């Protein structure tokens, strides 16, 4: 970190602290259950999956790949509860579109239609709702997707946080595309599309009134075009994932566990912007677990890796792409990082979320 004097921190109130990684023996829902880490996985595995059942749900991917009427569809849904509603680089409206579009893109599908459900708190300003709706509409047009249906509900004052949004989306999966972690094999190359941790730090900077000496904006973006560029090189990509809640660390662990392979990454190869690194050092966060909203991680067969990387770097949303590691037969289901000192460390699946309510 260059100069601590550049940081303008608000007064610290220890009484307001809460633990972002609660104990796992819980009889009630805690914030960590929504963080995309181990608690989230246990909630899905132990509560939702047994209740719902079904082969489609068992995929547990960013989107479900379905066959209907002779075509392959991707179907996904997501809810957005970010605070604040507007932040550097985007808003809850942008997230509501890009988050679902990106979940579909991780299955290789180009989003076609979205549904949109607004849950509004009594008393929120109509001008605020209009700003969110305008941002959502603009993001949909930029992503080439149509909002085809929707719903609105209002809850009593004090029972919401202004605006919550749910979006669901559908898209077609091209022939020959089969993206799922079970296709990952030892020897695959791990590529990340650009600098990590930007979205989570941007949210924290405005939520807590922090200044880090340099502006940090969210990386919120629709990744469908970047995925199309990658698939144009070869449809034989093994798996894609957008590392949102739980960050890159959670995404790598989920893929390692589902594929039964080990993952080895090189810490120095992981692109962390200096501003994000400085902010994380001050806040006691690990950039590996900070959320992203415009990045993807790809597991690519080694013979295609260089061509895919070149194509990514030629796209505006992949200009900072780089190879960060590989899959191995050793330590199946585990992610390890080679440190700058020549050692290794285990990159665990986080328990909860370092920064709650970031998407």
């Amino acid at each position: 970190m260059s100069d601590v004097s550049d940081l303008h921190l608000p007064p610290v109130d220890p009484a307001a602290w809460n633990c972002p990684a609660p104990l796992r023996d819980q009889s009630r829902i805690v914030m960590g259950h929504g963080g995309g880490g181990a608690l989230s996985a246990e909630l899905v595995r132990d509560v939702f999956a047994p209740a719902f059942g079904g082969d489609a749900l068992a995929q547990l991917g960013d989107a479900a790949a379905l066959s209907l009427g002779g075509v392959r569809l991707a179907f996904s849904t997501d809810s957005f509860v970010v605070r604040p509603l507007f932040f550097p680089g985007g808003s809850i409206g942008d997230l509501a579109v890009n988050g679902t579009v990106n979940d579909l893109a991780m299955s290789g599908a180009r989003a076609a239609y979205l549904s949109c459900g607004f849950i509004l708190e009594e008393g929120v300003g109509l001008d605020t709702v209009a700003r969110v709706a305008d941002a959502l509409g603009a993001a949909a047009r930029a992503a080439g997707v149509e909002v085809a249906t929707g719903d609105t509900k209002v809850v009593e004052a004090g029972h919401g946080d202004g605006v919550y949004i749910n979006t669901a989306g559908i898209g077609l999966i091209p022939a020959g595309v089969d993206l799922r972690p079970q296709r990952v094999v030892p020897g695959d190359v791990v590529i990340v599309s650009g600098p990590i941790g930007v979205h989570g730090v941007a949210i924290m900077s405005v939520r807590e009134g922090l200044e880090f000496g340099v502006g940090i904006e969210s990386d919120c973006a629709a990744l469908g075009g970047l995925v199309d560029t990658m698939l144009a090189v070869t449809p034989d990509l093994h798996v894609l994932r957008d590392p949102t809640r739980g960050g890159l660390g959670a995404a790598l662990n989920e893929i390692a566990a589902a594929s039964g392979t080990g993952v080895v990454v090189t810490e120095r190869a992981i692109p962390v912007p200096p501003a994000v690194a400085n902010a994380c050092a001050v806040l006691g966060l690990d950039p590996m677990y900070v959320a992203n909203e415009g990045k993807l991680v790809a597991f690519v067969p080694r013979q295609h890796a260089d061509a895919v990387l070149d194509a990514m770097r030629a796209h505006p949303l992949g200009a900072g792409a780089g190879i960060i590691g590989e899959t191995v037969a050793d330590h199946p289901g585990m992610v390890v990082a080679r440190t700058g000192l020549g050692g290794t460390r285990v990159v665990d699946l986080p328990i909860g979320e370092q920064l709650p309510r970031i998407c």
Side-chain angles (χ1 to χ4, degrees), residues 1-49:
M1 185 170 59
S2 57
D3 188 354
V4 176
S5 64
D6 289 340
L7 304 174
H8 307 286
L9 305 178
V12 174
D13 178 11
W17 290 355
N18 56 52
C19 179
L23 296 175
R24 296 170 68 171
D25 184 15
Q26 295 286 338
S27 60
R28 298 180 184 272
I29 293 295
V30 296
M31 288 300 294
H33 282 111
L39 284 174
S40 294
E42 290 173 2
L43 183 65
V44 172
R45 183 193 67 209
D46 298 337
V47 177
F48 296 134

Short mmCIF file of all heavy atoms in Angstrom, two decimals, residues 1-49:
data_model
loop_
_atom_site.label_atom_id
_atom_site.label_comp_id
_atom_site.label_asym_id
_atom_site.label_seq_id
_atom_site.Cartn_x
_atom_site.Cartn_y
_atom_site.Cartn_z
N MET A 1 0.85 -1.19 0.00
CA MET A 1 0.00 0.00 0.00
C MET A 1 0.88 1.23 0.00
O MET A 1 1.84 1.32 0.77
CB MET A 1 -0.91 -0.03 1.23
CG MET A 1 -1.92 1.08 1.28
SD MET A 1 -3.12 0.76 2.59
CE MET A 1 -2.02 0.70 4.01
N SER A 2 0.56 2.19 -0.83
CA SER A 2 1.46 3.30 -1.04
C SER A 2 1.44 4.29 0.09
O SER A 2 2.48 4.67 0.63
CB SER A 2 1.12 3.99 -2.36
OG SER A 2 -0.23 4.42 -2.35
N ASP A 3 0.28 4.77 0.54
CA ASP A 3 0.23 5.85 1.51
C ASP A 3 -1.08 5.75 2.28
O ASP A 3 -2.16 6.00 1.75
CB ASP A 3 0.33 7.20 0.79
CG ASP A 3 0.49 8.35 1.80
OD1 ASP A 3 0.40 8.08 3.01
OD2 ASP A 3 0.70 9.49 1.35
N VAL A 4 -0.97 5.40 3.56
CA VAL A 4 -2.17 5.25 4.37
C VAL A 4 -2.90 6.57 4.52
O VAL A 4 -4.12 6.62 4.72
CB VAL A 4 -1.80 4.67 5.76
CG1 VAL A 4 -3.01 4.59 6.67
CG2 VAL A 4 -1.19 3.29 5.61
N SER A 5 -2.19 7.70 4.37
CA SER A 5 -2.84 9.00 4.50
C SER A 5 -3.85 9.25 3.39
O SER A 5 -4.69 10.14 3.49
CB SER A 5 -1.79 10.12 4.51
OG SER A 5 -1.11 10.17 3.26
N ASP A 6 -3.78 8.46 2.30
CA ASP A 6 -4.75 8.61 1.22
C ASP A 6 -6.12 8.05 1.60
O ASP A 6 -7.10 8.28 0.91
CB ASP A 6 -4.27 7.88 -0.04
CG ASP A 6 -3.09 8.60 -0.70
OD1 ASP A 6 -2.92 9.79 -0.43
OD2 ASP A 6 -2.38 7.93 -1.46
N LEU A 7 -6.20 7.29 2.68
CA LEU A 7 -7.44 6.63 3.06
C LEU A 7 -8.17 7.47 4.09
O LEU A 7 -7.59 7.90 5.09
CB LEU A 7 -7.14 5.26 3.66
CG LEU A 7 -6.32 4.32 2.75
CD1 LEU A 7 -5.98 3.05 3.51
CD2 LEU A 7 -7.08 4.01 1.49
N HIS A 8 -9.43 7.73 3.84
CA HIS A 8 -10.25 8.53 4.74
C HIS A 8 -11.31 7.61 5.32
O HIS A 8 -12.31 7.30 4.68
CB HIS A 8 -10.89 9.69 3.98
CG HIS A 8 -9.88 10.53 3.23
ND1 HIS A 8 -9.03 11.39 3.85
CD2 HIS A 8 -9.58 10.57 1.91
CE1 HIS A 8 -8.25 11.98 2.96
NE2 HIS A 8 -8.56 11.48 1.77
N LEU A 9 -11.07 7.16 6.55
CA LEU A 9 -11.91 6.14 7.15
C LEU A 9 -12.87 6.76 8.17
O LEU A 9 -12.48 7.66 8.93
CB LEU A 9 -11.06 5.09 7.85
CG LEU A 9 -9.98 4.42 6.98
CD1 LEU A 9 -9.17 3.45 7.82
CD2 LEU A 9 -10.61 3.71 5.81
N PRO A 10 -14.13 6.30 8.20
CA PRO A 10 -15.07 6.82 9.19
C PRO A 10 -14.74 6.27 10.57
O PRO A 10 -13.98 5.31 10.71
CB PRO A 10 -16.41 6.27 8.69
CG PRO A 10 -16.05 5.01 7.98
CD PRO A 10 -14.71 5.27 7.34
N PRO A 11 -15.31 6.87 11.63
CA PRO A 11 -15.07 6.35 12.98
C PRO A 11 -15.52 4.89 13.08
O PRO A 11 -16.50 4.48 12.47
CB PRO A 11 -15.94 7.26 13.86
CG PRO A 11 -16.13 8.50 13.06
CD PRO A 11 -16.15 8.07 11.62
N VAL A 12 -14.78 4.11 13.84
CA VAL A 12 -15.07 2.69 14.01
C VAL A 12 -15.96 2.49 15.23
O VAL A 12 -15.69 3.01 16.31
CB VAL A 12 -13.77 1.87 14.16
CG1 VAL A 12 -14.08 0.43 14.47
CG2 VAL A 12 -12.95 1.99 12.89
N ASP A 13 -17.05 1.73 15.07
CA ASP A 13 -17.96 1.42 16.17
C ASP A 13 -17.96 -0.09 16.39
O ASP A 13 -18.66 -0.82 15.70
CB ASP A 13 -19.37 1.91 15.84
CG ASP A 13 -20.36 1.57 16.95
OD1 ASP A 13 -19.91 1.16 18.04
OD2 ASP A 13 -21.58 1.73 16.72
N PRO A 14 -17.14 -0.59 17.32
CA PRO A 14 -17.06 -2.04 17.51
C PRO A 14 -18.42 -2.67 17.84
O PRO A 14 -18.65 -3.84 17.54
CB PRO A 14 -16.08 -2.20 18.69
CG PRO A 14 -15.27 -0.93 18.66
CD PRO A 14 -16.21 0.13 18.19
N ALA A 15 -19.33 -1.91 18.44
CA ALA A 15 -20.63 -2.47 18.79
C ALA A 15 -21.45 -2.84 17.57
O ALA A 15 -22.38 -3.64 17.66
CB ALA A 15 -21.40 -1.46 19.64
N ALA A 16 -21.08 -2.26 16.42
CA ALA A 16 -21.83 -2.53 15.19
C ALA A 16 -21.23 -3.68 14.39
O ALA A 16 -21.74 -4.03 13.34
CB ALA A 16 -21.89 -1.27 14.32
N TRP A 17 -20.13 -4.26 14.88
CA TRP A 17 -19.50 -5.34 14.13
C TRP A 17 -20.37 -6.59 14.16
O TRP A 17 -21.07 -6.88 15.12
CB TRP A 17 -18.14 -5.68 14.74
CG TRP A 17 -17.10 -4.63 14.54
CD1 TRP A 17 -17.20 -3.49 13.82
CD2 TRP A 17 -15.79 -4.62 15.13
NE1 TRP A 17 -16.05 -2.76 13.89
CE2 TRP A 17 -15.15 -3.43 14.68
CE3 TRP A 17 -15.10 -5.47 15.96
CZ2 TRP A 17 -13.86 -3.09 15.05
CZ3 TRP A 17 -13.80 -5.14 16.32
CH2 TRP A 17 -13.19 -3.96 15.87
N ASN A 18 -20.29 -7.38 13.08
CA ASN A 18 -20.86 -8.73 13.11
C ASN A 18 -19.93 -9.65 12.34
O ASN A 18 -19.12 -9.20 11.55
CB ASN A 18 -22.28 -8.78 12.54
CG ASN A 18 -22.35 -8.24 11.13
OD1 ASN A 18 -21.60 -8.66 10.27
ND2 ASN A 18 -23.27 -7.31 10.89
N CYS A 19 -20.04 -10.92 12.61
CA CYS A 19 -19.11 -11.88 12.03
C CYS A 19 -19.57 -12.27 10.63
O CYS A 19 -20.68 -12.76 10.46
CB CYS A 19 -19.04 -13.13 12.91
SG CYS A 19 -17.93 -14.40 12.27
N PRO A 20 -18.73 -12.08 9.60
CA PRO A 20 -19.14 -12.44 8.25
C PRO A 20 -19.03 -13.93 7.97
O PRO A 20 -19.48 -14.40 6.95
CB PRO A 20 -18.15 -11.67 7.37
CG PRO A 20 -16.92 -11.59 8.22
CD PRO A 20 -17.41 -11.46 9.64
N ALA A 21 -18.40 -14.68 8.88
CA ALA A 21 -18.23 -16.12 8.69
C ALA A 21 -18.74 -16.84 9.93
O ALA A 21 -17.98 -17.28 10.77
CB ALA A 21 -16.77 -16.46 8.43
N PRO A 22 -20.07 -16.93 10.09
CA PRO A 22 -20.63 -17.48 11.32
C PRO A 22 -20.37 -18.97 11.46
O PRO A 22 -20.02 -19.65 10.50
CB PRO A 22 -22.14 -17.21 11.17
CG PRO A 22 -22.35 -17.17 9.68
CD PRO A 22 -21.09 -16.57 9.12
N LEU A 23 -20.56 -19.47 12.68
CA LEU A 23 -20.42 -20.90 12.91
C LEU A 23 -21.44 -21.66 12.07
O LEU A 23 -22.54 -21.19 11.82
CB LEU A 23 -20.63 -21.20 14.40
CG LEU A 23 -19.60 -20.59 15.35
CD1 LEU A 23 -20.00 -20.89 16.79
CD2 LEU A 23 -18.21 -21.11 15.07
N ARG A 24 -21.06 -22.85 11.61
CA ARG A 24 -21.90 -23.58 10.66
C ARG A 24 -23.02 -24.35 11.32
O ARG A 24 -23.93 -24.81 10.65
CB ARG A 24 -21.02 -24.49 9.82
CG ARG A 24 -20.05 -23.70 8.96
CD ARG A 24 -19.01 -24.57 8.30
NE ARG A 24 -19.57 -25.44 7.29
CZ ARG A 24 -18.83 -26.18 6.46
NH1 ARG A 24 -17.52 -26.13 6.54
NH2 ARG A 24 -19.39 -26.95 5.57
N ASP A 25 -22.97 -24.52 12.65
CA ASP A 25 -24.03 -25.25 13.34
C ASP A 25 -25.14 -24.26 13.69
O ASP A 25 -25.20 -23.71 14.78
CB ASP A 25 -23.47 -25.91 14.59
CG ASP A 25 -24.51 -26.76 15.30
OD1 ASP A 25 -25.56 -27.05 14.68
OD2 ASP A 25 -24.29 -27.11 16.48
N GLN A 26 -26.02 -24.00 12.72
CA GLN A 26 -27.04 -22.99 12.87
C GLN A 26 -28.43 -23.60 12.75
O GLN A 26 -28.68 -24.45 11.89
CB GLN A 26 -26.89 -21.91 11.78
CG GLN A 26 -25.60 -21.10 11.86
CD GLN A 26 -25.62 -20.10 13.00
OE1 GLN A 26 -26.68 -19.71 13.49
NE2 GLN A 26 -24.45 -19.68 13.42
N SER A 27 -29.35 -23.16 13.59
CA SER A 27 -30.74 -23.58 13.48
C SER A 27 -31.60 -22.52 12.81
O SER A 27 -32.79 -22.74 12.56
CB SER A 27 -31.32 -23.89 14.87
OG SER A 27 -31.27 -22.74 15.70
N ARG A 28 -31.02 -21.35 12.53
CA ARG A 28 -31.73 -20.26 11.87
C ARG A 28 -30.86 -19.71 10.74
O ARG A 28 -29.64 -19.89 10.73
CB ARG A 28 -32.07 -19.14 12.86
CG ARG A 28 -32.99 -19.57 14.00
CD ARG A 28 -33.28 -18.42 14.94
NE ARG A 28 -34.09 -18.87 16.07
CZ ARG A 28 -35.41 -18.91 16.06
NH1 ARG A 28 -36.07 -18.52 14.96
NH2 ARG A 28 -36.09 -19.32 17.10
N ILE A 29 -31.51 -19.03 9.81
CA ILE A 29 -30.79 -18.41 8.71
C ILE A 29 -29.92 -17.27 9.23
O ILE A 29 -30.37 -16.45 10.04
CB ILE A 29 -31.77 -17.89 7.64
CG1 ILE A 29 -32.50 -19.05 6.97
CG2 ILE A 29 -31.06 -17.03 6.60
CD1 ILE A 29 -31.59 -19.97 6.16
N VAL A 30 -28.68 -17.23 8.78
CA VAL A 30 -27.77 -16.13 9.08
C VAL A 30 -27.31 -15.53 7.76
O VAL A 30 -27.53 -16.09 6.68
CB VAL A 30 -26.56 -16.63 9.91
CG1 VAL A 30 -27.01 -17.13 11.28
CG2 VAL A 30 -25.79 -17.71 9.17
N MET A 31 -26.67 -14.37 7.81
CA MET A 31 -26.26 -13.68 6.59
C MET A 31 -25.35 -14.55 5.73
O MET A 31 -25.38 -14.48 4.50
CB MET A 31 -25.56 -12.36 6.93
CG MET A 31 -26.49 -11.28 7.46
SD MET A 31 -27.80 -10.83 6.29
CE MET A 31 -26.83 -10.09 4.97
N GLY A 32 -24.54 -15.39 6.37
CA GLY A 32 -23.62 -16.22 5.62
C GLY A 32 -24.31 -17.21 4.68
O GLY A 32 -23.70 -17.67 3.72
N HIS A 33 -25.58 -17.54 4.94
CA HIS A 33 -26.30 -18.44 4.05
C HIS A 33 -26.52 -17.84 2.67
O HIS A 33 -26.82 -18.56 1.71
CB HIS A 33 -27.66 -18.82 4.66
CG HIS A 33 -27.56 -19.86 5.74
ND1 HIS A 33 -27.81 -19.59 7.07
CD2 HIS A 33 -27.22 -21.17 5.69
CE1 HIS A 33 -27.66 -20.69 7.78
NE2 HIS A 33 -27.28 -21.67 6.98
N GLY A 34 -26.39 -16.53 2.55
CA GLY A 34 -26.56 -15.89 1.24
C GLY A 34 -25.26 -15.48 0.60
O GLY A 34 -25.26 -14.75 -0.40
N GLY A 35 -24.13 -15.97 1.13
CA GLY A 35 -22.84 -15.47 0.70
C GLY A 35 -22.16 -16.24 -0.42
O GLY A 35 -21.09 -15.86 -0.85
N GLY A 36 -22.74 -17.34 -0.88
CA GLY A 36 -22.14 -18.09 -1.96
C GLY A 36 -21.02 -19.03 -1.55
O GLY A 36 -20.34 -19.59 -2.39
N GLY A 37 -20.85 -19.23 -0.24
CA GLY A 37 -19.81 -20.12 0.25
C GLY A 37 -20.37 -21.44 0.77
O GLY A 37 -21.39 -21.94 0.29
N ALA A 38 -19.69 -22.00 1.78
CA ALA A 38 -20.08 -23.32 2.28
C ALA A 38 -21.49 -23.32 2.88
O ALA A 38 -22.23 -24.29 2.73
CB ALA A 38 -19.06 -23.79 3.32
N LEU A 39 -21.85 -22.24 3.58
CA LEU A 39 -23.19 -22.19 4.16
C LEU A 39 -24.27 -22.18 3.08
O LEU A 39 -25.31 -22.83 3.23
CB LEU A 39 -23.33 -20.95 5.06
CG LEU A 39 -22.64 -21.03 6.43
CD1 LEU A 39 -22.74 -19.68 7.13
CD2 LEU A 39 -23.25 -22.13 7.28
N SER A 40 -24.04 -21.44 2.01
CA SER A 40 -24.99 -21.44 0.89
C SER A 40 -25.12 -22.83 0.29
O SER A 40 -26.23 -23.31 0.00
CB SER A 40 -24.56 -20.45 -0.19
OG SER A 40 -24.62 -19.12 0.27
N ALA A 41 -23.98 -23.49 0.09
CA ALA A 41 -23.99 -24.83 -0.50
C ALA A 41 -24.74 -25.82 0.38
O ALA A 41 -25.51 -26.66 -0.10
CB ALA A 41 -22.56 -25.30 -0.74
N GLU A 42 -24.54 -25.71 1.70
CA GLU A 42 -25.24 -26.61 2.62
C GLU A 42 -26.74 -26.35 2.61
O GLU A 42 -27.54 -27.30 2.70
CB GLU A 42 -24.67 -26.45 4.03
CG GLU A 42 -23.25 -26.99 4.16
CD GLU A 42 -22.63 -26.67 5.51
OE1 GLU A 42 -23.33 -26.06 6.34
OE2 GLU A 42 -21.46 -27.02 5.72
N LEU A 43 -27.15 -25.09 2.51
CA LEU A 43 -28.57 -24.76 2.47
C LEU A 43 -29.23 -25.40 1.24
O LEU A 43 -30.32 -25.98 1.33
CB LEU A 43 -28.75 -23.25 2.45
CG LEU A 43 -30.18 -22.71 2.46
CD1 LEU A 43 -30.88 -23.06 3.77
CD2 LEU A 43 -30.18 -21.19 2.26
N VAL A 44 -28.56 -25.30 0.10
CA VAL A 44 -29.10 -25.89 -1.13
C VAL A 44 -29.11 -27.41 -1.02
O VAL A 44 -30.12 -28.07 -1.33
CB VAL A 44 -28.28 -25.44 -2.35
CG1 VAL A 44 -28.69 -26.21 -3.60
CG2 VAL A 44 -28.44 -23.95 -2.58
N ARG A 45 -28.00 -27.98 -0.55
CA ARG A 45 -27.87 -29.44 -0.51
C ARG A 45 -28.82 -30.07 0.50
O ARG A 45 -29.43 -31.11 0.23
CB ARG A 45 -26.43 -29.79 -0.14
CG ARG A 45 -26.13 -31.29 -0.12
CD ARG A 45 -24.80 -31.55 0.56
NE ARG A 45 -24.85 -31.23 1.99
CZ ARG A 45 -23.81 -30.82 2.70
NH1 ARG A 45 -22.63 -30.65 2.11
NH2 ARG A 45 -23.94 -30.56 4.00
N ASP A 46 -28.98 -29.45 1.68
CA ASP A 46 -29.71 -30.10 2.77
C ASP A 46 -31.18 -29.69 2.85
O ASP A 46 -31.98 -30.41 3.46
CB ASP A 46 -29.03 -29.78 4.10
CG ASP A 46 -27.61 -30.31 4.17
OD1 ASP A 46 -27.29 -31.25 3.43
OD2 ASP A 46 -26.81 -29.76 4.96
N VAL A 47 -31.54 -28.56 2.27
CA VAL A 47 -32.92 -28.07 2.39
C VAL A 47 -33.63 -28.05 1.03
O VAL A 47 -34.66 -28.71 0.84
CB VAL A 47 -32.96 -26.67 3.03
CG1 VAL A 47 -34.40 -26.14 3.08
CG2 VAL A 47 -32.36 -26.70 4.43
N PHE A 48 -33.08 -27.30 0.08
CA PHE A 48 -33.80 -27.07 -1.17
C PHE A 48 -33.76 -28.28 -2.10
O PHE A 48 -34.80 -28.69 -2.64
CB PHE A 48 -33.25 -25.84 -1.88
CG PHE A 48 -33.45 -24.57 -1.10
CD1 PHE A 48 -32.42 -23.65 -0.95
CD2 PHE A 48 -34.67 -24.29 -0.50
CE1 PHE A 48 -32.60 -22.49 -0.23
CE2 PHE A 48 -34.87 -23.13 0.23
CZ PHE A 48 -33.83 -22.22 0.37
N ALA A 49 -32.58 -28.85 -2.34
CA ALA A 49 -32.49 -29.96 -3.29
C ALA A 49 -33.35 -31.15 -2.89
O ALA A 49 -34.07 -31.71 -3.72
CB ALA A 49 -31.02 -30.37 -3.48
#
